[in-house]
Structure formats: structure tokens, C-alpha cells
Amino acid sequence: MKKTVTFFIVSFVFALLNGYFFNYINDAYLHFDVNYNKSQNISKNELNFIAIFIAPFLETFLFQYLPYFILSKWIKLNNKVFCIIIMSIIFASMHYYNWLYIVMTFFGGIILNNLYIYYIHHVYRYSLF
């Protein structure tokens, strides 16, 4: 159990560093508008609720559970690294606000998908959380 918690903490730190690194690149060099809201008819509170409580579970199901299930069970792809890369490409392709955000979510996807596959194989009951 100690190894599982440590792996989670290390993955969490890498995910935070990924976000900070790409935000620094954006702030220092590119200046993309990160507060762009396509849905002007949704309030900021509603958007925060969706981003905190709905999106993580929906994205985990759509971009981790479902692709890994299809790749490992239906296609019988046993290469975990290849599965992680495919899942990360799918995840990044759905976050197309700008090219930097796609790159950031690809690397974030690699970190989170690696954690997900680790948990699927070691602590299955916590893998979706």
C-alpha cells in the first residue's frame, strides 16, 4: 500500500509540474488567452462545478477506462506504453483550445494514464478515483 500511495504522490507532483511548466511557457513567451470561455451562457460558478465535479469522472471514463478497455480487451494490445500513448493522444485531441494546451494535456495524459494503468493492475478498486 505504501508503494501505491508513493506512486500517487509522485504522479500528482509531476502533473502539477506539467501544468506549471506549460503555464510558464505561455505566460513568458506565447500569451494565449487561458480564460477564453466558448460557452458565454454558462456562469462561472456553473463552469467551476462542471470542471471540479463532473468533468474528472466523465474524462476518466471516456479517456482512460473506455480506451484502455477497448485496447486491452477487444484489440488485445498488451503493450502498456503504447496504450498510454494512444490514450494520451485521445485525451489531448479533445482539448484543442490552442496547440500549447494540446501539448500540455498530452504530457498530462501520459502522467495520469500511467497512474491509471498502475492502479488498474495493483489496486483495481481505486483506479477510477
Side-chain angles (χ1 to χ4, degrees):
M1 187 67 171
K2 183 178 178 182
K3 185 177 179 183
T4 304
V5 172
T6 303
F7 194 77
F8 172 79
I9 292 170
V10 169
S11 297
F12 184 74
V13 168
F14 276 124
L16 285 176
L17 290 174
N18 177 61
Y20 280 119
F21 173 75
F22 282 103
N23 280 327
Y24 170 77
I25 295 295
N26 183 48
D27 292 344
Y29 303 107
L30 301 172
H31 311 292
F32 289 121
D33 182 13
V34 294
N35 296 317
Y36 179 73
N37 183 4
K38 290 181 183 178
S39 304
Q40 300 298 330
N41 57 348
I42 296 177
S43 74
K44 194 167 197 159
N45 288 338
E46 291 171 329
L47 197 59
N48 286 337
F49 178 80
I50 291 169
I52 294 170
F53 295 108
I54 308 282
F57 293 105
L58 189 62
E59 287 184 347
T60 299
F61 179 76
L62 291 175
F63 304 126
Q64 289 179 324
Y65 174 79
L66 203 55
Y68 188 68
F69 180 78
I70 290 169
L71 290 170
S72 64
K73 302 293 186 212
W74 290 359
I75 300 176
K76 305 282 190 222
L77 183 63
N78 293 325
N79 187 338
K80 292 177 189 173
V81 173
F82 197 60
C83 285
I84 290 170
I85 291 171
I86 290 172
M87 292 161 60
S88 299
I89 289 170
I90 294 168
F91 180 66
S93 69
M94 299 310 292
H95 294 84
Y96 51 86
Y97 307 113
N98 57 58
W99 67 268
L100 182 66
Y101 199 74
I102 293 171
V103 173
M104 181 185 80
T105 55
F106 173 75
F107 285 111
I110 287 176
I111 295 164
L112 295 174
N113 289 325
N114 186 41
L115 178 67
Y116 177 76
I117 289 176
Y118 177 84
Y119 268 60
I120 277 257
H121 292 287
H122 293 89
V123 193
Y124 182 76
R125 65 178 173 230
Y126 297 119
S127 62
L128 286 176
F129 296 108

